[in-house]
């Protein structure tokens, strides 16, 4: 099925001039290489859009960048605020409950059987 998809996309890719002659060989379709064409989906309009916004950050992104890059001694997974702290502690509690439940299950199986 993947080979049929690649064969149906081949004319489209040739028209957009994304594939180089090196990758347009029939060998590619016999053994598809996933990482062979890193710019497969970058069309001309996408590249132009990337050039226009390159170097400009929205204020929200700049604020988040400052918040997460601040050197305040906290690990990155706790820099998001109080909700991150709650989720972190809840994860620990649930993990410990799961481990204790597993130990209880195995000990019950070993002792009572």
């Amino acid at each position: 099925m993947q080979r049929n998809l690649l064969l149906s996309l081949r004319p489209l890719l040739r028209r957009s001039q994304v594939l180089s002659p090196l990758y347009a060989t029939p060998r590619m379709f016999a053994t598809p290489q996933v990482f062979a064409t890193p710019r497969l989906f970058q069309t001309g309009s996408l590249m132009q859009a990337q050039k226009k916004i390159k170097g400009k950050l929205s204020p929200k992104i700049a604020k988040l960048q400052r918040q997460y890059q601040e050197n305040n001694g906290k690990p990155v997974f706790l820099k998001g605020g109080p909700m991150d702290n709650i989720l972190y502690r809840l994860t620990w509690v649930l993990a410990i409950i799961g481990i204790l439940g597993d130990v209880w299950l195995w000990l019950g199986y070993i002792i009572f059987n």
Side-chain angles (χ1 to χ4, degrees):
M1 183 170 160
Q2 186 179 8
R3 186 167 193 258
N4 292 339
L5 178 66
L6 288 173
L7 287 174
S8 64
L9 288 176
R10 193 173 184 181
L12 177 69
L13 295 174
R14 277 197 179 147
R15 267 186 303 200
S16 64
Q17 298 175 352
V18 173
L19 284 179
S20 67
L22 176 67
Y23 296 121
T25 61
R27 182 176 169 266
M28 176 188 161
F29 298 104
T31 57
Q33 299 172 359
V34 177
F35 300 107
T37 55
R39 52 188 197 106
L40 184 64
F41 296 109
Q42 285 192 355
T43 60
S45 60
L46 177 63
M47 287 190 291
Q48 286 175 355
Q50 286 175 347
K51 287 179 185 176
K52 285 181 184 176
I53 61 171
K54 190 175 181 177
K56 296 181 182 179
L57 292 176
S58 69
K60 183 178 180 181
I61 299 294
K63 178 183 170 249
L64 287 173
Q65 221 175 22
R66 281 193 304 273
Q67 176 184 352
Y68 281 98
Q69 291 178 351
E70 181 182 335
N71 190 7
N72 56 4
K74 287 184 182 179
V76 71
F77 51 86
L78 293 177
K79 287 187 177 184
M83 192 63 180
D84 279 354
N85 202 353
I86 291 169
L87 289 173
Y88 173 72
R89 291 179 191 274
L90 179 67
T91 302
W92 268 106
V93 168
L94 291 175
I96 290 170
I97 289 172
I99 291 170
L100 290 176
D102 196 34
V103 169
W104 179 266
L105 177 77
W106 282 102
L107 285 179
Y109 180 74
I110 292 170
I111 293 172
F112 296 118
N113 281 335

